[in-house]
Amino acid sequence: MKKEVDARNVACPKPVIMTKKALDSIAEGTVTTIVDNEVAKENVSKLAKGSNFRCKVEKTKDGNFLINITKGINTEGEEETTNVCTSDTFSDMTIAITSDKMGKGKDELGNILMKGFIYTLTESIPYPSTILFYNTGVNLTVEGSEVLDDLKELEDEGVEIISCGTCLDYLDVKDKLKVGEVSNMYTIVEKLKGASNTLTI
Amino acid sequence: MKKEIYGVITFKSTNHAIKGEKALKNININIKTIPTPREITSSCGLSIKFDLDDLLKVKEVIKENELAIKGIYKTIRKGLNKKTIEI
């Protein structure tokens, strides 16, 4: 039995619910869920892992994720099913960028180091799952930032880029956001608490 | 897999790298200050990435501003794999 679930363009936690329904409706077989973002991919993978189903994640060319979940008597209880969802492309990590400069001291140097830091993120695997920008850190995600192309590259790879709305507003650059999404303190707290690893720069 | 070919200039000191960035930005070419790639060890930590089409312009600026460079390299990047050769 094969089932396909198209969970693109639906908000969390819909992809998980849709996948769960499809899995519940079959005794054994494969459910393929297609999602369009990293968070949904992780959540659906977690569902599969939690139920001890075998799952395989593929990334499509257009940036979607295909999650193949196999449900069946012979897959349950196998040892290898515990870790099959771990992808080597992403680590469950949030990087919080709290300033547009890296370190304290010389501003010019701090700017250069920050540029280098973001650039190097594009070249090192695993990628963090989320990068948060707050306080003057949001200067990096708005018009005029020298790291926009690097951040766009990371976003294309599936990294979640989140800027603090209050900060964009305070610095009067809200309409200049060029990459990622705007979010509020609830999301920031959730992302900082939820990741198994948090790096503050 | 993304493929990219670009030039990298390495410098003898960080200050020269910063000076180089300013001078090259002045002539309106597409450049970027990056950490020196690991494959190139013998230089300071900052390098400048540029478009190889601008190689002649870049060389001119280096000469005019008497920038203390260590070398100019060509990097071919395929995904996360990089190959760098001195030019």
Side-chain angles (χ1 to χ4, degrees), chain B residues 1-5 76-79:
Chain B
M1 190 141 297
K2 204 179 126 187
K3 194 176 168 184
E4 201 187 357
I5 301 173
I76 302 163
R77 179 183 170 197
K78 254 190 208 165

Side-chain angles (χ1 to χ4, degrees), chain A residues 86-158:
Chain A
T86 322
S87 83
D88 52 356
T89 328
F90 288 95
S91 64
D92 183 16
M93 174 191 276
T94 294
I95 297 184
I97 296 187
T98 59
S99 158
D100 51 5
K101 296 168 190 70
M102 190 174 185
K104 292 191 184 78
K106 296 279 179 202
D107 283 359
E108 186 181 36
L109 184 59
N111 280 325
I112 291 168
L113 294 179
M114 183 55 88
K115 274 194 274 179
F117 178 75
I118 308 261
Y119 175 83
T120 311
L121 283 180
T122 66
E123 291 198 350
S124 95
I125 278 218
Y127 297 121
S129 39
T130 309
I131 310 178
L132 290 174
F133 293 87
Y134 48 87
N135 216 316
T136 54
V138 299
N139 283 329
L140 300 167
T141 56
V142 300
E143 205 178 285
S145 151
E146 291 182 80
V147 295
L148 280 181
D149 45 348
D150 295 329
L151 292 175
K152 279 181 185 149
E153 194 179 326
L154 287 167
E155 192 181 34
D156 288 344
E157 292 294 337

Side-chain angles (χ1 to χ4, degrees), chain A residues 178-197:
Chain A
K178 285 285 177 256
V179 62
E181 287 159 45
V182 183
S183 213
N184 58 23
M185 194 51 86
Y186 286 95
T187 314
I188 295 175
V189 169
E190 216 175 270
K191 293 291 172 191
L192 289 173
K193 277 168 63 186
S196 50
N197 241 325

Side-chain angles (χ1 to χ4, degrees), chain A:
Chain A
M1 185 91 182
K2 272 188 184 173
K3 279 212 155 188
E4 278 182 24
V5 177
D6 186 350
R8 285 173 293 182
N9 299 316
V10 295
C12 179
K14 267 281 217 38
V16 175
I17 297 169
M18 288 160 77
T19 309
K20 179 139 189 9
K21 269 191 188 159
L23 282 167
D24 287 345
S25 70
I26 58 170
E28 57 180 305
T30 317
V31 171
T32 304
T33 302
I34 179 163
V35 295
D36 56 10
N37 65 80
E38 173 69 16
V39 181
K41 184 208 84 182
E42 288 297 324
N43 288 339
V44 174
S45 301
K46 269 182 206 157
L47 165 81
K49 215 195 267 185
S51 322
N52 259 338
F53 298 148
R54 191 196 303 260
C55 105
K56 223 177 84 197
V57 182
E58 280 168 51
K59 196 172 176 182
T60 63
K61 272 183 210 149
D62 42 0
N64 295 319
F65 297 96
L66 285 174
I67 308 140
N68 290 300
I69 307 170
T70 312
K71 179 182 181 181
I73 309 136
N74 42 5
T75 58
E76 271 180 270
E78 272 180 30
E79 263 178 54
E80 54 166 337
T81 52
T82 42
N83 271 328
V84 281
C85 280
T86 322
S87 83
D88 52 356
T89 328
F90 288 95
S91 64
D92 183 16
M93 174 191 276
T94 294
I95 297 184
I97 296 187
T98 59
S99 158
D100 51 5
K101 296 168 190 70
M102 190 174 185
K104 292 191 184 78
K106 296 279 179 202
D107 283 359
E108 186 181 36
L109 184 59
N111 280 325
I112 291 168
L113 294 179
M114 183 55 88
K115 274 194 274 179
F117 178 75
I118 308 261
Y119 175 83
T120 311
L121 283 180
T122 66
E123 291 198 350
S124 95
I125 278 218
Y127 297 121
S129 39
T130 309
I131 310 178
L132 290 174
F133 293 87
Y134 48 87
N135 216 316
T136 54
V138 299
N139 283 329
L140 300 167
T141 56
V142 300
E143 205 178 285
S145 151
E146 291 182 80
V147 295
L148 280 181
D149 45 348
D150 295 329
L151 292 175
K152 279 181 185 149
E153 194 179 326
L154 287 167
E155 192 181 34
D156 288 344
E157 292 294 337
V159 178
E160 208 177 3
I161 311 274
I162 296 173
S163 297
C164 150
T166 314
C167 314
L168 290 166
D169 202 23
Y170 181 89
L171 296 166
D172 209 12
V173 287
K174 208 168 189 171
D175 50 340
K176 296 200 172 83
L177 188 77
K178 285 285 177 256
V179 62
E181 287 159 45
V182 183
S183 213
N184 58 23
M185 194 51 86
Y186 286 95
T187 314
I188 295 175
V189 169
E190 216 175 270
K191 293 291 172 191
L192 289 173
K193 277 168 63 186
S196 50
N197 241 325
T198 305
L199 264 189
T200 307
I201 306 298

